[in-house]
Amino acid sequence: MHLYPPINYIEPVFRPPSEANSLILQVTNGCSWNRCTFCEMYTQPQKKFKPKAQADIVEDLQRCALSLTSVRRVFLADGDAMALSFDRLKSILLAIKQYLPSVSRVSSYCLPRNLKNKTVEELAELRRLGLVLLYVGAESGNDQILTKIDKGETFQTTVDALHKVSAAGLKSSVMIINGMGGVNYSEQHALDSAALVNETQPDYLATLVLFFHQAEASFISAFGDDFVMASQRQLIQEMELFIAHLTLEKTIFRSDHASNYLVLKGVLNRDKDALLSMIKRALSQDQRISLRSESSRGL
Ligand code: SF4
């Protein structure tokens, strides 16, 4: 759609791959937590966390209303727009309805802690006002890894937040990072992440591969001496263990983010056997299974 919407962005702006056709509405700048040691998104000085003033958001929407037609989807940026209070989020959703009435889906990243002070009733009201989908970067279900990467969340806080999301009628998309614990924590990471996803039955599940542009050394130093980066083969073996332990009812699964070597897509558990067989073929170096080359991987 509109490659250059008339919005005063504080760059850089990030969004999930599946929001490529959405209008990115920046309602906060940066991330209020900004401590995860693997995250390179909001490190520049201009990205210090700050909510955007309501008047500025309304001005952005008014300009969009004048120049864009048929906007169907809006993604609230940046890293955790859900850090805003219920009242602020309600005002933003009402303004979207007023200026862009064709919008049928609003989505946002969401940290589990963002929902601690929001009730299920409040979230259900945001759902009625157009908020449909929350992307929750769980990263891992293993508490030891979550501490080592300074995620500021645990297995239980993530489960509690995701239960609240579904109780309010919102959809959830959970992200797990393949390789997050390196070689030494790979098994616990796969098993505990599968347990977290099984417990919460998200609508969507995505896996990314741990990937750095610059921060690899500082990540490893924060994690500890026991971090050993997984090889391509070890990453795929970890995915095999993770998928083998999933007991999902109807979750749309994707590992098509640019950081992945092996692209997998399906509905779980329906397609579990097919995905596991594809992984086995990739591990046995079946030439019919193509792996993304190192040079074409990226974020
Ligand atoms: S919560 Fe998300 S955006 Fe914030 S630092 Fe962690 S990974 Fe980055």
Side-chain angles (χ1 to χ4, degrees), residues 46 156 299:
Q46 77 277 14
Q156 199 54 49
L299 294 176

Side-chain angles (χ1 to χ4, degrees), residues 123-153:
L123 291 173
E125 179 154 3
L126 297 179
R127 172 68 191 87
R128 282 191 290 279
L129 293 172
L131 183 68
V132 170
L133 173 64
L134 295 177
Y135 294 89
V136 177
E139 332 302 5
S140 176
N142 180 267
D143 282 343
Q144 216 178 341
I145 295 174
L146 291 170
T147 303
K148 278 174 168 286
I149 63 173
D150 205 2
K151 184 70 198 174
E153 303 288 352

Side-chain angles (χ1 to χ4, degrees), residues 9-249:
Y9 291 121
I10 302 172
E11 301 278 0
V13 174
F14 298 91
R15 54 149 180 85
S18 49
E19 298 290 335
N21 293 320
S22 303
L23 170 70
I24 310 300
L25 182 67
Q26 201 168 31
V27 299
T28 57
N29 180 40
C31 164
S32 64
W33 177 248
N34 214 20
R35 282 169 54 174
C36 304
T37 55
F38 63 90
C39 177
E40 301 180 315
M41 292 204 287
Y42 306 114
T43 50
Q44 297 175 42
Q46 77 277 14
K47 296 304 297 183
K48 199 169 180 314
F49 180 75
K50 195 174 175 203
K52 199 162 173 175
Q54 181 70 10
D56 294 339
I57 296 170
V58 167
E59 274 181 27
D60 284 339
L61 286 168
Q62 286 170 333
R63 280 194 302 275
C64 288
L66 289 175
S67 62
L68 305 178
T69 52
S70 308
V71 180
R72 302 241 171 265
R73 292 180 171 192
V74 169
F75 177 75
L76 304 179
D78 279 340
D80 65 336
M82 292 298 291
L84 294 176
S85 67
F86 165 71
D87 288 338
R88 283 284 334 262
L89 288 163
K90 188 173 166 183
S91 309
I92 290 165
L93 292 168
L94 285 168
I96 292 171
K97 273 197 177 303
Q98 179 180 353
Y99 294 105
L100 300 173
S102 56
V103 169
S104 59
R105 179 178 111 161
V106 179
S107 55
S108 170
Y109 284 129
C110 175
L111 279 58
R113 70 171 59 74
N114 296 158
L115 304 188
K116 266 206 183 118
N117 297 324
K118 293 180 180 74
T119 65
V120 171
E121 292 68 34
E122 287 174 336
L123 291 173
E125 179 154 3
L126 297 179
R127 172 68 191 87
R128 282 191 290 279
L129 293 172
L131 183 68
V132 170
L133 173 64
L134 295 177
Y135 294 89
V136 177
E139 332 302 5
S140 176
N142 180 267
D143 282 343
Q144 216 178 341
I145 295 174
L146 291 170
T147 303
K148 278 174 168 286
I149 63 173
D150 205 2
K151 184 70 198 174
E153 303 288 352
T154 63
F155 178 98
Q156 199 54 49
T157 61
T158 307
V159 165
D160 292 346
L162 285 164
H163 282 162
K164 228 176 198 181
V165 169
S166 63
L170 285 154
K171 288 186 187 300
S172 61
S173 179
V174 168
M175 285 160 284
I176 298 289
I177 300 187
N178 185 197
M180 189 79 260
V183 176
N184 292 331
Y185 294 82
S186 181
E187 187 178 339
Q188 297 97 299
H189 173 51
L191 298 179
D192 293 344
S193 299
L196 183 144
V197 176
N198 293 340
E199 171 85 31
T200 54
Q201 298 287 322
D203 299 277
Y204 302 92
L205 169 65
T207 54
L208 285 69
V209 168
L210 186 65
F211 183 97
F212 296 101
H213 289 287
Q214 293 167 341
E216 184 169 343
S218 62
F219 168 80
I220 293 174
S221 120
F223 195 99
D225 291 345
D226 50 351
F227 185 84
V228 178
M229 190 72 90
S231 66
Q232 184 193 91
R233 185 175 179 80
Q234 288 165 329
L235 288 166
I236 297 173
Q237 285 170 331
E238 183 178 285
M239 285 301 296
E240 184 179 32
L241 190 62
F242 172 62
I243 292 177
H245 283 81
L246 291 176
T247 51
L248 296 171
E249 285 157 24

